[in-house]
Amino acid sequence: EPEVTQTPSHQVTQMGQEVILRCVPISNHLYFYWYRQILGQKVEFLVSFYNNEISEKSEIFDDQFSVERPDGSNFTLKIRSTKLEDSAMYFCASSGQGDGYTFGSGTRLTVV
Amino acid sequence: AQKVTQAQTEISVVEKEDVTLDCVYETRDTTYYLFWYKQPPSGELVFLIRRNSFDEQNEISGRYSWNFQKSTSSFNFTITASQVVDSAVYFCALSGATSGGSYIPTFGRGTSLIVHP
């Protein structure tokens, strides 16, 4: 069964550092998403990406965040200058036209 | 605006009991999707079911069943004969069409299910 792959599974970074979280969506999917889940809390939408541009974003997705599809397979989330409150599980997801979502297994980001 | 309410924060049962997880939603969209996801202690999100708003048939998959009632805007999830491995946080989610053309799920706060041996 096709999977959404996220790497790394766990990343520890120092406050103020830049991090890049990587995702390989399902190959024939057209829509890509990032979500985050602060420990013990709900899953929150960050951004959706379609046709090489951002289609929707939430108020959480401020200027410190950016997304990119650098080649035909990867989809990345960059956090420019990490803060302690960025510590969370970050989920990538993809969907086809009218399909349901497939989530990756997540990257746990710990900012120290 | 979309909203998903999972009023039960935590449910504790003993193995083999049946348990129902409630989900109530709000949306103005006429076409939408409803989902259930399971999040075990390891943290990943496991897809359980997607239901189209036009399909009100109940669904059964092994010990899992879902009751979709448009009249009450509810999409409840029942686990029959619960097992310890069912212990997890369960999220209900709703997605409707957005101006961007995608369907972005809004998640409820989750219900933590603890099944004791």
Side-chain angles (χ1 to χ4, degrees), chain A residues 31 33 35 37 40-45 47-48 50 55-57 89 91 95 97-106 108, chain B residues 4 33 35 37 39 41-47 50 89 91 95-96 98-110:
Chain A
Y31 295 92
Y33 312 85
Y35 283 77
Q37 184 186 30
Q41 297 189 24
K42 67 190 291 187
V43 179
E44 299 173 294
F45 168 72
V47 65
S48 65
Y50 171 71
S55 51
E56 305 273 345
K57 61 180 181 179
M89 185 78 114
F91 291 101
S95 67
Q97 190 75 34
D99 281 350
Y101 295 77
T102 303
F103 280 85
S105 55
R108 186 173 299 282
Chain B
V4 176
Y33 293 96
F35 305 81
Y37 287 89
Q39 188 175 43
S42 49
E44 71 270 26
L45 282 171
V46 179
F47 168 80
R50 179 184 78 146
V89 180
F91 291 96
S95 71
T98 69
S99 57
S102 60
Y103 286 72
I104 296 170
T106 298
F107 282 77
R109 293 197 168 272

Side-chain angles (χ1 to χ4, degrees), chain B residues 12-20 63 78-87 113-117:
Chain B
S12 185
V13 299
V14 176
E15 211 170 19
K16 296 185 185 162
E17 279 186 42
D18 298 348
V19 58
T20 295
R63 296 184 297 107
T78 297
I79 302 174
T80 304
S82 58
Q83 300 175 1
V84 173
V85 293
D86 295 328
S87 296
L113 174 64
I114 302 167
V115 182
H116 299 281

Side-chain angles (χ1 to χ4, degrees), chain B residues 16-68:
Chain B
K16 296 185 185 162
E17 279 186 42
D18 298 348
V19 58
T20 295
L21 310 181
D22 297 333
C23 174
V24 174
Y25 63 92
E26 294 174 32
T27 180
R28 292 195 190 117
D29 291 321
T30 52
T31 301
Y32 52 90
Y33 293 96
L34 293 160
F35 305 81
W36 276 94
Y37 287 89
K38 174 182 179 179
Q39 188 175 43
S42 49
E44 71 270 26
L45 282 171
V46 179
F47 168 80
L48 296 178
I49 190 171
R50 179 184 78 146
R51 172 63 76 225
N52 182 305
S53 55
F54 295 114
D55 182 1
E56 285 193 72
Q57 275 193 327
N58 290 332
E59 174 132 354
I60 297 174
S61 175
R63 296 184 297 107
Y64 295 168
S65 62
W66 290 269
N67 183 2
F68 176 29

